Amino acid sequence: MGYYHILKQAEAVEYARGIEGVFPAGAQLTSREIGDGNLNHVFQISDPASGRGLIVKQALPYVKVVGESVPLTLDRVRIENEALRIQDELCPDLSPKVYAYEQELALLVLEDLSDHIVMRRGLMNRGRYPFFGGLIGSFLARTLFFTSDLAMDLQEKKQRVKAFINPELCNITEDLIFDAPYKKSRMNIFEPHIRDAVERIWADTELHLEVALLRDLFLTKAQALLHGDLHTDNIFIKPDSMKVIDPEFAYYGPMGFDIGTVIANLLLNYSGQEGWSTDAQERIDYRRYLLDTVSDLWTQFELQFRELWNGHAADRMAKTRGYQDLYVARLLQDTIGFAGAKMVCRVHGFIHVADIERIEDAAARERAQRIALQIGTALIKRNRSARSIEELLDIALKASEDESERPSAD
Amino acid sequence: MGYYHILKQAEAVEYARGIEGVFPAGAQLTSREIGDGNLNHVFQISDPASGRGLIVKQALPYVKVVGESVPLTLDRVRIENEALRIQDELCPDLSPKVYAYEQELALLVLEDLSDHIVMRRGLMNRGRYPFFGGLIGSFLARTLFFTSDLAMDLQEKKQRVKAFINPELCNITEDLIFDAPYKKSRMNIFEPHIRDAVERIWADTELHLEVALLRDLFLTKAQALLHGDLHTDNIFIKPDSMKVIDPEFAYYGPMGFDIGTVIANLLLNYSGQEGWSTDAQERIDYRRYLLDTVSDLWTQFELQFRELWNGHAADRMAKTRGYQDLYVARLLQDTIGFAGAKMVCRVHGFIHVADIERIEDAAARERAQRIALQIGTALIKRNRSARSIEELLDIALKASEDESERPSAD
């Protein structure tokens, strides 16, 4: 089984059966393929009798985009495996267990999380997860702090930077998030009804400068081991648990990128509320819940990050008076900027989000897109001068109010 | 000869003889050991008849400090070799040729530069090198620009970051430059007569914050391939030529660190002028020359860096309006901060500079030390608000004027 080949379902089942201590001997295993098969084949292998299950995930040596197959390194599975093990060590309750990693086959066997749902779907159903801010705040604080120079031996950290050099996957982010949305490009997909807003973005040189600066941070600031793709499809959730999956984009980058990605996805759902309820009060209430969640997330993150710093900083210089405050202040600015960039690219970039895309009513969808673009561009422009998370909340609030006051085209 | 052992002189001679196309067949080669043997054995192998020569440089697996031997990775020779080849490709006139690299032996065979002198010695003799600003400006502009994301394929740049991960040598810088000088430490060596100034530095929390921020840049900002140790002992010079040697500290870091190191060493000599001439006008004239050189260096660097950017930026985002100006403005700030840090550590840190250390008159040496500390700390504090190189020149001028007005202790 050693050399790379695309696993047939029966092979995946036998592979899963070989994992020790999961399935009873002679179990009648069932299997189904989940996921879209664009990047990976993912099999869910279950034993209905014992209720046990595993995920077998094999990376494909290409990514399918708009009908084409573009080669993509299998090394991303090594990265994902190593990142998952580090995240599991730091946040055992918030990460799926890794049962096996087979380099030659670009294969991971993972904990089955099918008792959870994809958080994006949860939000689209107006689910409320009051513990989410604390849990994701903790995940961010612990994974970012403990992989940074603040907590690590400085030489070990450099070896880790080396192990997580991830050029091909970073390149996807560099192109799709920090470049294509700001110019005419075949990578920009958007509906004609927002062409005026998109063209304003293409012409907005003040915005472009901020994006260039954020992109420079993404390219050069080796601050902590990032998840790298922390949107709400990669967060699994249920009332009493949250798990973060799929860190194949992991690399050493600016902490604010991960925090900003989570916030961006909450605000994309916020924008999408335009289309998910016809009841104005329900929209207002759920949006309030989402903004409270953003606020809670940042507050919990900051609290835990500072506690870790005060209790676990390995670096003597970390105790320098004023350093922590300035570090956190810059972290907030990066977070706000990256949150904005992540929003813009999900509206008229290459990969959209269901929270907005799946709105059936065209006028509501358009309003949602405009709100998201307004928030995204305002956050990008605000990033370097931002002083508090309240500014971000105000920007979001104003965008939804502006849109509700905008004269209808009808 | 394959396995690592410390080469005897006769072996070094035979090794040099084996380099093709340098020495005539049957040449009577002479050899002498140059350098202090603390880190490397360096043999100069010459053929007096033809006037030809080579340098054979072998790294030792340790560094000798205060009588102790501390292990030090031989991987630094691989780094030096790769950095020299990149520098030679980018600046063929400003880099020594590499004739051979033998990994197992941690050995480099290099162009003999004995027709040049060490620049620090040149400055101590009040030598003037009117072309220096242009040449070092060009070296800095070309090596920093062409190894950055501005000019490189983004994926290749990441592979290069990986190849130049250099934990042990970076650690020396992190400790000796960005940590020890700011606390009581056995790594601080200074004369009792400046204890008051050193204690002020230990107590100056505003200064410590700026040093922590500069150190964070050194740890995380993977902006360009740095030389990493660009002081005036590593610059060889003669009236019509300049060569930069010894890039064993090379790694991906903030551009301003290299530029700041050159400037710091010019300003250390500036401070040392206190002890090298009893003629006040001569001191003033040479200091003026040194400040003009700093100004010229920055001007030439900026000019060439911007020209390269305008003509050779590979990255589309580099054309963003306002980006270049902001990038260069930040580069100046980093440069000023790192120049200050480099000055402080060379006065009361672990490794001092001859420009000050070798002043025989104790009172003049003390004045030189105080001037250097005043300039260094002022530059560190100014870094984030600096807008022009003139501010740096003013700080230097003021420090030497203040010292000349200080009431003598006699």
Side-chain angles (χ1 to χ4, degrees), chain A residues 261-304:
Chain A
T261 302
V262 180
I263 292 177
N265 280 272
L266 293 170
L267 295 180
L268 285 163
N269 185 274
Y270 175 98
S271 310
Q273 287 308 314
E274 219 48 44
W276 297 107
S277 174
T278 49
D279 177 340
Q281 192 56 46
E282 197 169 54
R283 271 207 307 273
I284 289 169
D285 288 347
Y286 196 68
R287 280 182 167 152
R288 173 46 54 198
Y289 159 72
L290 289 168
L291 294 190
D292 288 347
T293 302
V294 170
S295 171
D296 187 35
L297 175 170
W298 175 262
T299 307
Q300 296 281 345
F301 165 78
E302 182 178 344
L303 190 73
Q304 295 194 40

Side-chain angles (χ1 to χ4, degrees), chain A residues 78 149 154-159 161-163 165-168 170-171 174-175 178-180 182-183 205 208-213 215-223 251 315-318 320-324 326-327 330 384, chain B residues 78 149 154-159 161-163 165-168 170-171 174-175 178-180 182-183 205 208-213 215-223 251 315-318 320-324 326-327 330 384:
Chain A
R78 178 188 65 79
D149 287 305
L154 301 181
Q155 299 198 42
E156 281 172 30
K157 183 259 191 171
K158 291 177 182 70
Q159 296 298 356
V161 170
K162 187 172 170 178
I165 294 284
N166 195 358
E168 288 190 35
C170 283
N171 199 244
E174 288 150 15
D175 284 355
F178 297 111
D179 186 359
Y182 303 95
K183 65 181 183 189
T205 55
H208 297 177
L209 174 58
E210 297 304 325
V211 173
L213 295 172
R215 186 163 172 278
D216 187 47
L217 289 178
F218 186 84
L219 290 171
T220 62
K221 191 169 180 171
Q223 193 176 25
Y251 86 111
D315 189 3
R316 192 193 68 85
M317 295 291 282
T320 306
R321 192 185 302 171
Y323 185 36
Q324 187 188 106
L326 199 52
Y327 197 102
R330 289 177 170 188
R384 287 190 290 152
Chain B
R78 178 188 64 80
D149 288 304
L154 301 181
Q155 300 198 43
E156 281 172 28
K157 183 260 191 171
K158 290 178 183 70
Q159 296 298 355
V161 170
K162 186 172 170 178
I165 294 283
N166 196 357
E168 288 190 35
C170 284
N171 199 244
E174 288 149 16
D175 284 354
F178 296 111
D179 186 359
Y182 303 95
K183 65 179 182 191
T205 54
H208 298 176
L209 174 59
E210 297 305 324
V211 173
L213 294 172
R215 187 164 172 277
D216 187 48
L217 289 178
F218 186 84
L219 291 171
T220 62
K221 191 168 179 172
Q223 193 176 25
Y251 87 109
D315 188 2
R316 189 192 70 85
M317 293 291 281
T320 306
R321 191 185 303 173
Y323 185 36
Q324 185 188 108
L326 199 52
Y327 197 102
R330 289 176 169 189
R384 286 189 291 151

Side-chain angles (χ1 to χ4, degrees), chain B residues 225-380:
Chain B
L225 180 62
L226 306 190
H227 178 283
D229 197 25
L230 201 41
H231 55 71
T232 44
D233 288 316
N234 283 339
I235 300 174
F236 276 48
I237 204 153
K238 62 174 185 169
D240 58 353
S241 168
M242 180 208 80
K243 308 271 182 185
V244 172
I245 65 161
D246 268 0
E248 62 194 347
F249 282 79
Y251 87 109
Y252 262 81
M255 296 178 177
F257 185 79
D258 268 2
I259 315 171
T261 302
V262 181
I263 292 177
N265 280 272
L266 293 169
L267 294 180
L268 285 162
N269 186 274
Y270 175 97
S271 310
Q273 286 308 312
E274 218 48 43
W276 298 107
S277 174
T278 50
D279 178 338
Q281 192 56 46
E282 199 170 52
R283 273 208 305 273
I284 288 170
D285 288 349
Y286 196 67
R287 281 183 166 150
R288 171 47 54 199
Y289 159 71
L290 288 168
L291 294 189
D292 287 347
T293 302
V294 170
S295 170
D296 187 35
L297 175 169
W298 175 262
T299 307
Q300 295 282 344
F301 166 78
E302 181 177 344
L303 191 74
Q304 294 194 40
F305 189 80
R306 286 179 182 274
E307 273 178 16
L308 292 173
W309 186 313
N310 296 334
H312 299 274
D315 188 2
R316 189 192 70 85
M317 293 291 281
K319 308 221 185 303
T320 306
R321 191 185 303 173
Y323 185 36
Q324 185 188 108
D325 288 342
L326 199 52
Y327 197 102
V328 171
R330 289 176 169 189
L331 208 41
L332 176 71
Q333 295 179 339
D334 290 359
T335 295
I336 288 176
F338 286 122
K342 278 284 197 172
M343 289 187 76
V344 168
C345 75
R346 292 301 202 117
V347 176
H348 75 277
F350 193 64
I351 301 171
H352 296 191
V353 289
D355 319 56
I356 293 176
E357 197 72 358
R358 297 255 175 96
I359 297 173
E360 286 191 9
D361 178 67
R365 199 168 61 243
E366 179 186 340
R367 288 198 304 276
Q369 290 162 342
R370 288 184 187 277
I371 292 170
L373 288 182
Q374 182 176 332
I375 299 173
T377 53
L379 294 180
I380 292 172

Side-chain angles (χ1 to χ4, degrees), chain B residues 78-94:
Chain B
R78 178 188 64 80
I79 300 256
E80 180 173 352
N81 174 55
E82 290 183 23
L84 280 172
R85 286 171 195 270
I86 291 167
Q87 288 161 1
D88 183 41
E89 198 185 308
L90 295 172
C91 305
D93 295 337
L94 308 178

Side-chain angles (χ1 to χ4, degrees), chain B residues 23 87 104 187 246 278 398:
Chain B
F23 297 117
Q87 288 161 1
E104 286 295 309
M187 305 302 259
D246 268 0
T278 50
K398 180 166 185 308

Side-chain angles (χ1 to χ4, degrees), chain B residues 174-194:
Chain B
E174 288 149 16
D175 284 354
L176 296 189
I177 300 179
F178 296 111
D179 186 359
Y182 303 95
K183 65 179 182 191
K184 272 195 181 172
S185 160
R186 72 178 188 97
M187 305 302 259
N188 286 323
I189 299 167
F190 60 89
E191 297 186 79
H193 60 222
I194 57 162

Side-chain angles (χ1 to χ4, degrees), chain B residues 96-123:
Chain B
K97 300 294 156 220
V98 180
Y99 287 93
Y101 164 55
E102 187 99 17
Q103 185 175 357
E104 286 295 309
L105 288 171
L107 189 84
L108 281 168
V109 182
L110 300 165
E111 184 180 355
D112 182 8
L113 300 173
S114 53
D115 55 335
H116 294 63
I117 62 165
V118 174
M119 187 173 178
R120 191 181 307 284
R121 182 180 304 268
L123 296 177

